[in-house]
Amino acid sequence: MLDVAYDVAGMDLANNAPRRTTATVTVGHQAGSTGGTVTGARLSWSPDDGATWRKATLRRTGAGVYTADLRVPKGTEHVSLRVEAKDKAGTTIKQTVIRAYGVR
Protein backbone atom coordinates (compact mmCIF):
# COMPACT_ATOMS: atom_id res chain seq x y z
CA MET A 1 0.00 0.00 0.00
CA LEU A 2 1.37 3.40 -0.98
CA ASP A 3 1.54 6.31 1.45
CA VAL A 4 2.28 10.02 0.96
CA ALA A 5 4.12 12.43 3.26
CA TYR A 6 4.07 16.21 2.75
CA ASP A 7 6.59 18.91 3.63
CA VAL A 8 5.80 22.57 2.89
CA ALA A 9 8.78 24.90 3.37
CA GLY A 10 8.34 27.69 5.88
CA MET A 11 5.35 26.13 7.64
CA ASP A 12 4.81 27.65 11.07
CA LEU A 13 3.19 26.14 14.17
CA ALA A 14 -0.20 27.54 13.11
CA ASN A 15 0.00 25.48 9.85
CA ASN A 16 0.59 28.58 7.69
CA ALA A 17 3.21 28.95 4.96
CA PRO A 18 4.40 31.78 2.71
CA ARG A 19 2.56 32.52 -0.55
CA ARG A 20 5.72 31.46 -2.40
CA THR A 21 7.00 28.17 -1.07
CA THR A 22 8.33 24.74 -1.95
CA ALA A 23 6.29 21.59 -1.43
CA THR A 24 7.94 18.18 -1.20
CA VAL A 25 5.94 14.97 -1.41
CA THR A 26 7.46 11.65 -0.49
CA VAL A 27 5.74 8.54 -1.81
CA GLY A 28 6.57 5.18 -0.32
CA HIS A 29 5.08 1.96 0.95
CA GLN A 30 3.53 1.67 4.38
CA ALA A 31 5.58 -0.20 6.95
CA GLY A 32 5.15 -3.93 6.55
CA SER A 33 3.89 -3.77 2.97
CA THR A 34 5.81 -4.56 -0.18
CA GLY A 35 5.59 -3.11 -3.63
CA GLY A 36 7.53 -1.93 -6.61
CA THR A 37 9.64 1.14 -7.05
CA VAL A 38 7.68 4.41 -7.19
CA THR A 39 7.59 5.34 -10.88
CA GLY A 40 5.80 8.66 -10.88
CA ALA A 41 3.76 11.28 -9.11
CA ARG A 42 1.61 14.30 -9.88
CA LEU A 43 0.81 17.23 -7.61
CA SER A 44 -2.05 19.67 -8.04
CA TRP A 45 -3.02 22.55 -5.81
CA SER A 46 -6.16 24.59 -5.33
CA PRO A 47 -6.63 28.11 -3.93
CA ASP A 48 -10.40 27.66 -3.60
CA ASP A 49 -11.06 24.55 -1.50
CA GLY A 50 -10.89 22.22 -4.50
CA ALA A 51 -13.30 24.02 -6.83
CA THR A 52 -10.45 24.35 -9.36
CA TRP A 53 -7.07 22.61 -9.56
CA ARG A 54 -3.72 23.73 -10.97
CA LYS A 55 -0.94 21.32 -11.90
CA ALA A 56 2.41 21.84 -10.19
CA THR A 57 5.64 21.01 -12.00
CA LEU A 58 7.32 18.26 -9.98
CA ARG A 59 11.05 17.53 -9.96
CA ARG A 60 12.19 14.10 -8.85
CA THR A 61 14.76 14.77 -6.13
CA GLY A 62 15.19 11.23 -4.79
CA ALA A 63 13.65 7.77 -4.71
CA GLY A 64 9.94 8.51 -4.38
CA VAL A 65 10.67 12.16 -3.50
CA TYR A 66 9.27 14.99 -5.63
CA THR A 67 9.50 18.76 -5.15
CA ALA A 68 7.55 21.66 -6.65
CA ASP A 69 7.67 25.43 -6.32
CA LEU A 70 4.25 26.80 -5.44
CA ARG A 71 3.26 30.41 -6.11
CA VAL A 72 -0.31 31.02 -5.03
CA PRO A 73 -2.23 34.16 -5.99
CA LYS A 74 -2.40 37.13 -3.64
CA GLY A 75 -5.49 36.93 -1.47
CA THR A 76 -5.38 33.12 -1.21
CA GLU A 77 -6.21 32.11 2.36
CA HIS A 78 -5.78 28.32 2.15
CA VAL A 79 -4.15 25.85 -0.24
CA SER A 80 -5.50 22.38 -0.92
CA LEU A 81 -3.21 19.65 -2.26
CA ARG A 82 -3.85 16.57 -4.40
CA VAL A 83 -1.26 13.87 -5.06
CA GLU A 84 -1.51 10.99 -7.50
CA ALA A 85 1.28 8.39 -7.59
CA LYS A 86 2.02 4.87 -8.79
CA ASP A 87 4.63 2.19 -8.46
CA LYS A 88 6.11 -0.40 -10.81
CA ALA A 89 3.76 -3.10 -9.45
CA GLY A 90 0.72 -1.06 -10.55
CA THR A 91 -0.28 0.17 -7.11
CA THR A 92 -1.75 3.68 -7.17
CA ILE A 93 -2.76 6.32 -4.68
CA LYS A 94 -4.81 9.49 -5.10
CA GLN A 95 -4.98 11.66 -2.01
CA THR A 96 -6.68 15.04 -1.63
CA VAL A 97 -6.22 17.32 1.37
CA ILE A 98 -8.64 20.27 1.41
CA ARG A 99 -7.17 23.28 3.25
CA ALA A 100 -3.83 21.50 3.64
CA TYR A 101 -2.30 24.76 4.91
CA GLY A 102 -3.04 28.42 5.38
CA VAL A 103 -1.24 31.26 3.60
CA ARG A 104 0.35 34.12 5.47
Side-chain angles (χ1 to χ4, degrees):
M1 180 179 283
L2 289 173
D3 197 11
V4 179
Y6 302 84
D7 182 22
V8 178
M11 182 85 63
D12 62 23
L13 294 176
N15 204 41
N16 295 312
R19 190 171 62 83
R20 293 178 172 223
T21 190
T22 301
T24 300
V25 294
T26 303
V27 182
H29 294 90
Q30 289 187 353
S33 69
T34 59
T37 304
V38 175
T39 57
R42 290 187 290 208
L43 174 67
S44 301
W45 60 274
S46 172
D48 54 15
D49 294 341
T52 60
W53 292 95
R54 301 175 189 197
K55 291 181 183 177
T57 301
L58 282 177
R59 299 178 305 279
R60 185 179 177 140
T61 55
V65 182
Y66 301 86
T67 302
D69 295 322
L70 300 182
R71 308 288 184 252
V72 300
K74 288 182 181 179
T76 299
E77 294 182 12
H78 298 94
V79 175
S80 299
L81 298 173
R82 175 178 287 161
V83 174
E84 298 175 65
K86 62 182 177 177
D87 71 10
K88 194 171 184 176
T91 305
T92 62
I93 187 169
K94 182 176 182 178
Q95 186 176 77
T96 301
V97 182
I98 300 298
R99 293 192 175 201
Y101 66 91
V103 179
R104 62 171 185 268

